[in-house]
Every structure is written in C-alpha cells, then in structure tokens.
Amino acid sequence: MSNCSFEDVDNLMKSLQLVIYIPIFIFGLILNTLALLVFCLLLKKWTESTIYMTNLVLMDMLLLFPMPFKMHATKYHWAADKRLFCSFLESLYFVSVYGSIYTIMCIAVDRYIAIKHPFRAKQLRSPRAALVTCVVIWLVVLGATAPVYRFHSKSEEPFRCFHGFSKEGWNPVLIVCLEVLGFLGPTLVLVSCSVQIIRTLRKSLQSSAQSRACVRIIYSNLCIFLVPFTPCHVGIFLQFLVRCGTITDCGLQNRISLFVQVSMGLANITCCLDAFCYYFITMEIRSSRGSLRQSFSQRRMTSTSEV
C-alpha cells in the first residue's frame, strides 16, 4: 500500500465532498431544527415514540456539528496541536452515527411491542422506559467511541482531520466490533422486528387499505436505514482488507478508497432522511393502533353475537 498513490482520488474528493456536504448540512439543519421545535414546543404529551424521535433528532444535530470542520479538512491540513480537537470532532461523528443506528433499532423494537403484543404493551412500554433507554444509548456510544482518540499518530507534522487513521484505528478487534455490534446486530434486530410486524398486520387486518399503508411505511423506514448505512460499512470492511494487506492491487485500492469516501459522505444524508422517518413513524403508529382497535372490536362483536 505504501507504493500506491491516492493523489487522484484525494483531488477528486476535495471537490466532490463539498458537493455532498453542503446540501446535506443546509437541509439537515433546517429539517432537524423544525422537528426539534415541533417535538419540544407543539406536542402536548410525551409518548414513547416522541421520546425516541427526539433522541434521533439530537443525534442528527450532533452529526451536523462536525460537518463544517469536515468540509475544511477536505482541502486543508491541520497543525499538529489540533489533533485532540480533531479526535473530539471524529468521536462526535461516530457517537451520532451509531447513536442513530441504535435509536432506530429501539424504535423498531418499540413498534414491534406495540403492534405484535398490544395487550402487554402497557406493561412493557412507558415514557420513562423510553427515556432510560435513550440515556443508556448515549452512555454506550460515548464509551464505545473512546478508541477514536488513538486513531491519529502522535507525529508533529500537519495532518488531515477525518483522514489517515493510524494502524490502531484499523485494529481487527475494533473493526469486528464496529461491523457486528455497530451495524449488523442492530440491522438484524430491525429487519426481524419489521418482518414480524408486517406478518402481524397482514394477518390481523386481512390486507385492508390501512394494513397495506402500514406495510409500505415499514418498507420505507427500512430503506431509510439501509440505504445510507449499508454501503459505508461495506466500504469500511473493504478498506480494512486493504489495510491488513489482503488487497494489494493498486487500482483496486484506489477504487476502494473512492468508494469509502463517497459512501461515508453520502451516509450523512441520514440526517435529512430521518425527517421523513419522523412523519412515517407517527402515521404508522396512529394507523396501526386504530386499525388494531377496530379489528379487536370486530372480534369482540363476533364473539358476542355467537354467544
């Protein structure tokens, strides 16, 4: 890898990353500010869903904070005495990304309990439980990002923030934890809960219009999660293979470097897509609860008439 030049990729990304980051930053800031104002000022009652969605907004706002610094770092080197500040910004980025992933996973679990087990939901779900869960998410991701402060070497030379991680940043144990615990695990939980919800809705509502609408919303939420996060984690794994010497072809290394940087940049679009997720989740819960209540009422009436 030391004999392979990435100058062409770096020059391309200096302009391409600005094209990606500037629209995401502007729209993300507007959408998440509006969402936060709605949740904090207009909603009269804090429910489990509202608490989770507010936590997701906070994670997205945290993602936006380092973005201007990332845009600056695409073109300019930073002085060596800025390494600690750079590591702090990088840790905020990882806190936001994986905090968002775990929050979305918890939303899926909460949705699963509400729809799959509606009678037990009163014992299993509560605003306090949702709040405690969100606090735990923050504590876990903050603790898990501690290794970020070792990602850069301690050289006195100028460096590029968000680039050029040291060997410690590509430690196999760290990458496995990142891929498995940070993405694959939550993804399996999300997909499993979504599949169970879809099956329950189709059985309970007998393919009604409301059932089909709920199913479409769940598929939309899955796409909003998988489209931004899957490519970047595939890219991280490929870059790990480059770093550990498994992939040695220079041309392939350049393509992987370009893919990683583009996919990591586009993954930030989640802070904009989540705005649609807020709307979808609200509509889904209202629709599914109303439909299930109607379905249960019909069952009770049928049972009464039979008696």
Side-chain angles (χ1 to χ4, degrees):
M1 184 176 176
S2 58
N3 296 326
C4 191
S5 173
F6 298 91
E7 184 177 354
D8 292 340
V9 174
D10 292 338
N11 290 333
L12 174 62
M13 290 308 302
K14 286 179 181 179
S15 299
L16 188 58
Q17 284 188 340
L18 294 179
V19 173
I20 295 173
Y21 287 141
I22 291 175
I24 290 176
F25 179 76
I26 294 173
F27 287 105
L29 186 61
I30 294 172
L31 292 172
N32 285 283
T33 300
L34 290 175
L36 196 59
L37 290 174
V38 169
F39 292 150
C40 295
L41 300 179
L42 299 183
L43 294 183
K44 297 180 180 180
K45 184 179 180 181
W46 286 90
T47 64
E48 298 85 1
S49 299
T50 305
I51 291 172
Y52 284 125
M53 287 190 288
T54 302
N55 194 63
L56 190 57
V57 173
L58 295 176
M59 291 292 182
D60 288 338
M61 295 292 282
L62 189 64
L63 179 66
L64 293 171
F65 176 76
M67 200 165 291
F69 299 98
K70 291 180 69 176
M71 288 188 279
H72 181 273
T74 59
K75 288 192 173 184
Y76 301 101
H77 285 74
W78 290 16
D81 59 356
K82 299 293 191 299
R83 292 186 188 277
L84 182 60
F85 179 62
C86 171
S87 296
F88 171 70
L89 294 174
E90 291 169 345
S91 69
L92 292 185
Y93 172 80
F94 286 107
V95 166
S96 173
V97 169
Y98 294 100
S100 296
I101 288 175
Y102 271 88
T103 301
I104 295 172
M105 182 195 73
C106 290
I107 290 174
V109 173
D110 182 72
R111 182 197 303 138
Y112 168 82
I113 295 173
I115 296 177
K116 183 72 174 180
H117 305 286
F119 296 114
R120 296 181 59 191
K122 291 183 178 180
Q123 289 77 36
L124 298 175
R125 301 171 69 240
S126 69
R128 181 178 181 180
L131 182 60
V132 170
T133 301
C134 291
V135 171
V136 171
I137 291 174
W138 279 95
L139 293 176
V140 169
V141 293
L142 284 170
T145 55
V148 173
Y149 290 89
R150 300 197 306 269
F151 279 7
H152 291 285
S153 63
K154 297 182 179 180
S155 171
E156 295 299 323
E157 298 180 359
F159 71 104
R160 291 183 64 194
C161 192
F162 295 96
H163 295 79
F165 292 155
S166 66
K167 291 183 179 180
E168 293 183 357
W170 296 98
N171 183 284
V173 176
L174 186 62
I175 298 300
V176 169
C177 291
L178 183 77
E179 295 283 349
V180 176
L181 300 180
F183 178 68
L184 290 178
T187 300
L188 290 176
V189 173
L190 175 65
V191 172
S192 177
C193 288
S194 299
V195 169
Q196 292 297 319
I197 292 168
I198 291 172
R199 289 178 179 175
T200 300
L201 290 175
R202 285 177 173 172
K203 290 179 181 179
S204 301
L205 305 178
Q206 300 178 350
S207 299
S208 65
Q210 289 176 319
S211 173
R212 291 191 295 271
C214 288
V215 170
R216 287 195 296 268
I217 290 171
I218 293 171
Y219 280 131
S220 299
N221 290 335
L222 280 173
C223 290
I224 289 173
F225 177 87
L226 294 174
V227 170
F229 292 126
T230 302
C232 68
H233 283 88
V234 172
I236 290 172
F237 177 71
L238 292 175
Q239 186 67 11
F240 168 71
L241 296 180
V242 172
R243 288 291 186 137
C244 67
T246 303
I247 297 177
T248 58
D249 180 75
C250 186
L252 184 56
Q253 288 183 7
N254 271 270
R255 290 193 290 272
I256 290 174
S257 177
L258 179 62
F259 176 73
V260 170
Q261 294 186 62
V262 171
S263 62
M264 292 288 286
L266 291 176
N268 294 299
I269 202 173
T270 182
C271 67
C272 298
L273 295 179
D274 284 342
F276 298 98
C277 189
Y278 308 142
Y279 172 78
F280 287 152
I281 291 173
T282 301
M283 295 301 296
E284 174 194 345
I285 292 174
R286 289 179 179 176
S287 177
S288 60
R289 283 178 175 176
S291 300
L292 286 173
R293 283 197 296 267
Q294 181 180 0
S295 176
F296 294 144
S297 298
Q298 290 175 350
R299 291 180 185 178
R300 293 193 186 100
M301 291 175 63
T302 302
S303 300
T304 303
S305 61
E306 290 176 353
V307 175

